[in-house]
Amino acid sequence: MALLELQDLILNRGRQPVLHVPQLTIEEGEVLAVIGPNGAGKSTLLLALANLLPPAGGLLRFRGRPLLKKDDLDYRRQIGLVMQDPMLLDGSVAYNVETGLRFRKLPAAERERRAAFWMARLGITALAARPAGKISGGEAQRASLARALALQPALLLLDEPFSALDAPTRSALLDDVHTIFSEQRQTAVFVTHDMQEALALGSRVAVLLNGGLCQVGKPTEVFNMPASTEVAAFVGIETILPGRVLAVEDGLARIQVNGCTFEAVGEVKPGQAVYMCLRPEDFTLHPSDGTALSSARNRLKGQITRLAPQGPLVRVSVDCGFPVVALITLHSSREMGLQTGQTVNLSFKASAAHLVAH
Amino acid sequence: MQLVWDGFVKALQLLCSGDPEVLGVTLLSLQISGLATGISLLIGLPLGTLLALHEFKTRRFWISLINTGMALPPVVVGLGVSIFLWRSGPLGDLRLMYTPIAIIIAQTVIAAPVVTGLTLAALQQLNPRLQLQLLGLGASRWQMIWLLWREARLPLLAALMAGFGSVISEVGASMMVGGNLRGQTRVLTTAIVLETSKGEFAAALALSMLLLLLAYLVNLFLTWVQQRQSKG
């Protein structure tokens, strides 16, 4: 039986529908990462899962039990909520970690034992007596996580808990949370707009765009085989080319795109209209004067329109009659002496291209 | 300047001699204004909380009404309460006119909107997502409200101070519904008006100093509680 099940859930803001989820289940022990851009309705979905927003329609079932009451305290005491802003109360860190335990009227000794365990687990034991207002953002988020984990919730809900932290703090906390989730087999729903976080924590990924769930699946599935061009664009596929399948032979499809013919692997039928999706890192660049033999089935020629350095990498925009974005190392770019306006050859493997039906 | 000096000397004499009449007036002022503030807190805290935490159709109307109430002139309150308590008024049978209870009622009408309005403002200053966070940690509605009050306790104490300040210093309503009866409804402010009208400036000044001292001591205590909380 699923831990939590959503059926045809509709949430409105005023009279405007902002979220519609036909069906979603959360299984025991899984971490579902809900990704989507700002304003997609991720936080709304999370608050709906916490039964904190009254739905305009649909139903939530917790371990098969429908949540019909307006305020189901029994259910709320099965969950733990961590928000983007740690929202600690006025008092010491230990007082904050014990907050939810006090709500449940646990004896003081048990409260202290659990708080001490989770503060140690999250590396904030030394801060126990410190006023919550006088600790750093990263420490506050650790206290907020300890506060939720101390409840030993059946379902932990996290709303972008790392987004307000600087990169090193975020990375360290992400590692700790990953370890804790694995050790505790913690069931969690985790909302983020950061794909790296979703990949690091999620055992399943749900893509939420414009208030609707576009794809739910394993991270590799969603990132490598997006169900639509919208999902593809969100998961970092920058070259999305509309084309038509000319023929399919031994699982290899020949696709016509803007007068050029490419080969790609995919389950498509001849004559079908498709989008060919390619990540920037799928392209290989060669100088136009050299012959670079490779196993790549697809070759293109184009003119560099832009070179954008990104740390040790360079994003190369190439006009091949249609726009293509490639990602290469700064070292390669220097070696080839790439410049704007220069003509270059590009290649990509048939297995790298992902086909999405129109 | 002689007048001020005489007043100061007389005030000290009155304070030191422990004049029973002055003591009575002072204690009555404290009792009436303290009780009125307490009742205002019982009305204003839940009402302000309701307005701060719940969305309903007429909410804005009620907030505008409370805000207007915060600037209610005491004489208007005195007039309104007098009409109600007057012998031929709707509550005339209770025979409350010219009693300390009448003053408490009038002062409650003055202080309650102040406490309500400032409670509303205090709770609205909190992060609105704090409610969701507390509920998401398993708080019952009462546990959530209790913690919101705890988080807003400094501005809530300020609301209490403002409520007390508004009634300990008012004279219009107390005069109209209390009648300034010696030994019964005479409070510090009405006594000051009386002494001034008689030309007894020194006595009026002494009573004024007593009133200021009283207001200062009560607020000093509340400030001490407030600041102790902010450090703790």
Side-chain angles (χ1 to χ4, degrees):
Chain A
M1 186 193 293
L3 181 72
L4 191 68
E5 203 179 338
L6 269 80
Q7 275 176 356
D8 214 18
L9 193 78
I10 299 167
L11 275 125
N12 291 354
R13 187 170 294 140
R15 286 187 181 171
Q16 202 69 27
V18 288
L19 186 74
H20 181 207
V21 182
Q23 210 261 339
L24 181 68
T25 52
I26 294 139
E27 303 291 341
E28 296 258 13
E30 78 164 337
V31 177
L32 177 71
V34 180
I35 59 169
N38 289 337
K42 301 188 297 292
S43 297
T44 306
L45 174 64
L46 199 82
L47 292 175
L49 292 178
N51 204 22
L52 291 175
L53 292 180
L59 190 66
L60 253 93
R61 279 177 204 276
F62 181 70
R63 290 185 171 137
R65 177 174 73 88
L67 304 179
L68 301 170
K69 278 190 275 180
K70 196 181 166 195
D71 181 21
D72 196 321
L73 186 61
D74 289 341
Y75 171 65
R76 284 199 286 105
R77 291 201 170 159
Q78 298 284 330
I79 63 166
L81 178 66
V82 177
M83 292 179 135
Q84 186 179 345
D85 182 345
M87 256 173 305
L88 298 181
L89 301 169
D90 196 9
S92 70
V93 170
Y95 169 84
N96 272 281
V97 175
E98 287 180 31
T99 304
L101 303 172
R102 273 195 303 278
F103 291 153
R104 286 156 181 79
K105 296 189 167 61
L106 257 66
E110 175 66 7
R111 286 202 313 258
E112 283 164 21
R113 190 191 65 75
R114 282 210 215 172
F117 174 80
W118 283 104
M119 282 191 290
R121 199 67 195 77
L122 281 145
I124 50 168
T125 303
L127 308 173
R130 190 96 64 87
K134 289 182 180 167
I135 57 174
S136 72
E139 290 165 345
Q141 200 54 278
R142 280 177 183 273
S144 168
L145 274 160
R147 177 173 66 181
L149 284 163
L151 305 173
Q152 298 171 349
L155 175 65
L156 184 63
L157 302 167
L158 303 109
D159 187 4
E160 306 218 22
F162 312 109
S163 65
L165 307 177
D166 59 60
T169 311
R170 181 168 63 170
S171 171
L173 189 54
L174 203 57
D175 283 349
D176 285 354
V177 170
H178 181 258
T179 312
I180 290 168
F181 281 6
S182 308
E183 280 175 11
Q184 305 285 325
R185 285 202 77 245
Q186 177 68 54
T187 312
V189 178
F190 159 64
V191 154
T192 182
H193 63 264
D194 186 306
M195 270 157 295
Q196 300 307 318
E197 286 179 10
L199 275 171
L201 281 186
S203 49
R204 270 202 310 158
V205 171
V207 184
L208 193 69
L209 299 171
N210 300 319
L213 272 185
C214 297
Q215 190 173 0
V216 185
K218 287 185 174 158
T220 47
E221 215 173 281
V222 173
F223 286 92
N224 297 321
M225 289 180 278
S228 65
T229 50
E230 288 83 7
V231 176
F234 183 72
V235 298
I237 291 174
E238 294 187 47
T239 303
I240 300 172
L241 305 167
R244 190 166 289 278
V245 182
L246 294 176
V248 184
E249 216 171 290
D250 297 332
L252 197 66
R254 289 204 298 133
I255 319 288
Q256 190 168 50
V257 176
N258 211 17
C260 305
T261 306
F262 298 108
E263 290 183 359
V265 179
E267 288 177 14
V268 285
K269 290 173 191 161
Q272 193 178 353
V274 291
Y275 285 107
M276 195 164 69
C277 304
L278 289 153
R279 291 176 181 279
E281 55 269 30
D282 291 335
F283 289 99
T284 309
L285 242 81
H286 320 276
S288 65
D289 49 357
T291 50
L293 287 173
S294 78
S295 63
R297 303 283 301 170
N298 301 297
R299 296 189 180 94
L300 294 153
K301 190 174 231 174
Q303 207 169 37
I304 297 175
T305 53
R306 190 164 176 249
L307 289 162
Q310 283 185 341
L313 302 169
V314 180
R315 293 167 64 79
V316 188
S317 304
V318 184
D319 181 9
C320 304
F322 42 83
V324 166
V325 180
L327 195 68
I328 61 168
T329 62
L330 190 62
H331 191 71
S332 299
S333 167
R334 281 186 185 147
E335 234 173 50
M336 289 190 279
L338 295 184
Q339 283 178 343
T340 310
Q342 188 180 338
T343 303
V344 286
N345 289 332
L346 295 108
S347 63
F348 63 91
K349 288 183 169 187
S351 57
H354 170 64
L355 299 176
V356 175
H358 243 280
Chain B
M1 276 313 288
Q2 187 59 39
L3 197 63
V4 177
W5 178 247
D6 287 347
F8 184 69
V9 173
K10 179 137 193 193
L12 281 180
Q13 282 172 350
L14 276 172
L15 284 173
C16 296
S17 67
D19 183 278
E21 194 173 343
V22 172
L23 201 67
V25 168
T26 308
L27 278 178
L28 191 66
S29 290
L30 200 58
Q31 279 170 355
I32 286 175
S33 296
L35 259 169
T37 309
I39 297 168
S40 301
L41 189 68
L42 291 178
I43 298 168
L45 194 61
L47 193 59
T49 306
L50 181 81
L51 289 170
L53 305 186
H54 290 272
E55 286 286 342
F56 48 91
K57 270 187 181 173
T58 53
R59 182 170 173 266
R60 280 178 184 222
F61 164 75
W62 284 103
I63 291 176
S64 65
L65 210 65
I66 296 294
N67 287 338
T68 310
M70 286 171 80
L72 213 54
V75 280
V76 175
V77 175
L79 176 66
V81 174
S82 297
I83 291 170
F84 268 85
L85 300 185
W86 201 253
R87 211 170 292 166
S88 54
L91 302 174
D93 290 344
L94 298 174
R95 298 192 176 277
L96 294 174
M97 196 65 182
Y98 302 130
T99 66
I101 294 175
I103 309 179
I104 291 171
I105 293 171
Q107 291 197 349
T108 302
V109 174
I110 294 168
V114 175
V115 178
T116 308
L118 293 179
T119 297
L120 169 69
L123 292 175
Q124 280 184 329
Q125 275 173 12
L126 297 174
N127 188 333
R129 291 178 78 83
L130 181 59
Q131 289 174 53
L132 295 172
Q133 174 68 82
L134 295 173
L135 293 173
L137 290 169
S140 66
R141 295 275 153 186
W142 279 113
Q143 285 171 330
M144 178 196 78
I145 288 171
W146 180 255
L147 273 185
L148 293 179
W149 284 348
R150 183 183 175 276
E151 284 300 290
R153 61 194 183 281
L154 300 184
L156 286 180
L157 268 168
L160 194 66
M161 283 190 240
F164 179 76
S166 68
V167 289
I168 192 75
S169 58
E170 73 78 30
V171 61
S174 298
M175 188 69 97
M176 288 167 88
V177 301
N180 194 26
L181 304 176
R182 189 178 182 183
Q184 290 176 46
T185 57
R186 182 164 297 167
V187 290
L188 280 167
T189 49
T190 55
I192 293 166
V193 172
L194 180 73
E195 296 300 331
T196 308
S197 67
K198 288 196 302 192
E200 295 284 346
F201 295 117
L205 209 55
L207 291 166
S208 299
M209 287 168 70
L210 252 174
L211 180 63
L212 283 174
L213 186 71
L214 193 68
Y216 174 72
L217 286 176
V218 171
N219 280 300
L220 185 72
F221 170 70
L222 290 172
T223 309
W224 175 75
V225 174
Q226 191 189 46
Q227 294 311 307
R228 199 180 59 130
Q229 295 284 345
S230 78
K231 277 180 194 165

